[in-house]
C-alpha cells in the first residue's frame, strides 16, 4: 500500500485589528477588566483541517499539529524478551528520515492515542519501498497494539520527526573517543547510528557501546553485535539481572579514559541512566554539548 507523506501545517495568524484613536482606546481600557496572564495558548475545541482537507491531530509534546497518513505493518517478529521487531511501510514520508535517532508517531484508528517510536533501521536503508524498522517494547497502549499486530495490519503514522543524533558536531578530528550508552529498547536508534556509518568509528581511537538489559534473553540485535565490533565499536554488555548493575555502574568502575579532552557521548534509554552518565561525564570535563541525545 502506498502511503502519503505527512507534514506539519501552520494555521494563519489572525489579522491585526486597526488601531483606534488614542482617546477611544483609553476609554475602552478603563472600562474592560485586565486580561488574565496565560502561560500557554488556549486550544480550540474544534479540530484543525489542513489545506487538503486532512485532519490534523495536535500532540501535547511539542504542541504542533501532526498529520497522520495510512501505513501498514509488513512484518512483526519477536526480537528479544518483551521486544518485537517490525517493518512498517510509511510510503513517501520515509524521505524525511535523514538522521539516526529520528522517530515516528503511530496509532491505531483516528481517535487512538499516538505512541513515539525510534527508528531502528539506517536512514535510506529501504527508502525506495518507504519502509522503516521499529523495535517496540510490549508495555501496554499503542506499543502493545503494535507488538500484537499481524502482517498486513493498517496503522496511522506520521512522517519521521525529531532532531536525531547530531554526530556532525563531534568529528573524529576533535573527538577521539565516543562512549555510547543504551538500555532496553533504547538500542533501537543506536543500531541505526552504528549501521549508518556516520559515526566514523574506524577513524577514532575508541568507540564503546555500553548496552544494558536484564539478561541475554532481553538483548535485541544480538546477532548484529559481531558486525558492530568489526566496524570499530567495542560492545560492553551489562546484565542487571546477573548482578552486573547498570551501564553507569560498569562505566564508573573503569572508565578506561586517559584524555577527557577528546571525549563525546551518545545516550539513549532510561532517564535515570542518562542523568547518572551525564553527571559522570561532566564531572570529568566533558562539555554538555558533546553529550548527544535524540530528544
Amino acid at each position: 500500500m502506498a502511503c502519503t507523506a505527512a507534514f506539519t501545517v501552520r494555521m494563519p495568524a489572525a489579522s491585526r485589528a486597526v488601531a483606534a484613536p488614542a482617546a477611544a482606546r483609553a476609554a475602552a481600557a478603563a472600562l474592560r477588566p485586565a486580561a488574565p496572564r496565560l502561560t500557554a495558548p488556549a486550544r480550540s475545541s474544534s479540530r484543525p483541517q489542513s489545506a487538503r482537507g486532512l485532519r490534523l491531530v495536535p500532540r501535547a509534546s511539542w504542541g504542533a499539529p501532526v498529520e497522520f497518513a495510512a501505513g501498514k505493518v509488513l512484518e512483526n517478529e519477536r526480537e528479544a524478551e518483551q521486544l518485537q521487531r517490525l517493518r512498517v511501510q510509511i510510503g513517501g514520508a520515509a524521505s524525511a528520515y535523514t538522521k539516526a535517532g529520528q522517530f515516528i508517531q503511530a496509532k491505531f484508528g483516528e481517535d487512538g492515542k499516538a505512541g513515539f517510536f525510534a527508528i531502528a533501521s539506517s536512514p535510506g536503508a529501504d527508502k525506495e519501498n518507504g519502509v522503516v524498522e521499529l523495535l517496540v517494547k510490549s508495555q501496554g497502549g499503542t506499543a502493545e497494539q503494535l507488538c500484537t499486530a499481524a502482517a498486513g495490519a493498517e496503522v496511522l503514522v506520521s512522517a519521521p520527526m525529531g532532531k536525531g543524533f547530531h554526530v556532525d558536531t563531534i568529528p573524529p578530528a576533535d573527538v577521539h573517543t565516543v562512549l555510547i550508552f543504551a538500555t532496553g529498547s533504547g538500542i533501537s536508534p543506536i543500531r541505526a547510528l552504528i549501521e549508518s556509518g556516520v559515526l566514523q568509528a574506524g577513524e577514532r581511537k575508541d568507540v564503546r557501546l555500553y548496552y544494558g538489559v536484564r539478561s541475554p534473553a532481553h538483548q535485541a540485535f544480538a546477532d548484529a553485535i559481531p558486525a558492530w565490533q568489526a566496524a570499530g565499536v567495542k560492545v560492553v554488555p551489562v546484565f542487571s539481572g546477573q548482578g552486573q548493575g547498570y551501564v553507569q555502574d560498569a562505566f564508573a568502575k573503569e572508565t578506561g579514559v586517559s584524555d577527557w579532552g577528546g571525549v563525546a557521548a551518545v545516550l539513549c534509554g532510561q532517564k535515570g541512566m542518562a542523568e547518572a552518565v551525564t553527571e559522570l561525564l561532566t564531572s570529568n570535563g566533558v562539555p554538555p554539548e558533546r553529550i548527544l541525545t535524540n530528544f
Side-chain angles (χ1 to χ4, degrees), residues 180-213:
I180 308 170
F181 299 86
T183 57
S185 60
I187 195 65
S188 178
I190 298 302
R191 178 208 184 207
L193 177 65
I194 294 172
E195 296 186 0
S196 69
V198 296
L199 195 56
Q200 298 175 277
E203 299 182 27
R204 303 181 194 267
K205 177 183 176 182
D206 185 9
V207 178
R208 271 177 272 161
L209 165 60
Y210 290 85
Y211 180 13
V213 291

Side-chain angles (χ1 to χ4, degrees), residues 56-286:
L56 303 179
V57 181
R59 289 293 158 211
S61 55
W62 287 275
V66 175
E67 186 176 328
F68 289 84
K72 181 187 288 187
V73 175
L74 300 181
E75 294 179 17
N76 186 354
E77 299 179 349
R78 184 181 186 274
E79 177 62 29
E81 191 71 29
Q82 295 185 307
L83 292 171
Q84 294 292 123
R85 181 176 177 177
L86 293 88
R87 294 181 68 245
V88 180
Q89 189 177 54
I90 64 173
S95 62
Y97 180 34
T98 58
K99 283 186 181 293
Q102 287 182 288
F103 58 91
I104 64 169
Q105 291 190 47
K107 63 178 183 174
F108 288 87
E110 186 176 316
D111 295 323
K113 182 177 181 181
F116 294 72
F117 304 97
I119 302 174
S121 49
S122 302
D126 199 359
K127 185 173 66 175
E128 295 79 6
N129 296 312
V131 176
V132 296
E133 287 190 17
L134 306 177
L135 181 69
V136 183
K137 182 177 181 180
S138 177
Q139 55 184 359
T142 304
E144 190 73 26
Q145 290 178 284
L146 275 173
C147 285
T148 58
E154 295 183 353
V155 59
L156 295 175
V157 295
S158 73
M161 49 202 318
K163 63 186 179 68
F165 298 117
H166 283 293
V167 294
D168 55 309
T169 64
I170 53 168
D174 300 327
V175 175
H176 55 67
T177 297
V178 177
L179 305 168
I180 308 170
F181 299 86
T183 57
S185 60
I187 195 65
S188 178
I190 298 302
R191 178 208 184 207
L193 177 65
I194 294 172
E195 296 186 0
S196 69
V198 296
L199 195 56
Q200 298 175 277
E203 299 182 27
R204 303 181 194 267
K205 177 183 176 182
D206 185 9
V207 178
R208 271 177 272 161
L209 165 60
Y210 290 85
Y211 180 13
V213 291
R214 188 179 306 171
S215 72
H218 291 80
Q219 190 178 64
F221 309 129
D223 57 347
I225 289 178
W228 297 352
Q229 299 202 121
V233 179
K234 179 183 178 182
V235 180
V236 182
V238 182
F239 302 121
S240 59
Q242 297 183 355
Q244 297 179 4
Y246 301 106
V247 293
Q248 60 266 35
D249 303 319
F251 177 64
K253 287 178 182 176
E254 185 177 356
T255 66
V257 177
S258 57
D259 177 15
W260 290 95
V263 173
V266 180
L267 313 181
C268 191
Q270 298 169 340
K271 180 180 178 181
M273 176 276 288
E275 292 175 345
V277 169
T278 297
E279 184 176 352
L280 279 167
L281 295 171
T282 55
S283 66
N284 281 286
V286 178

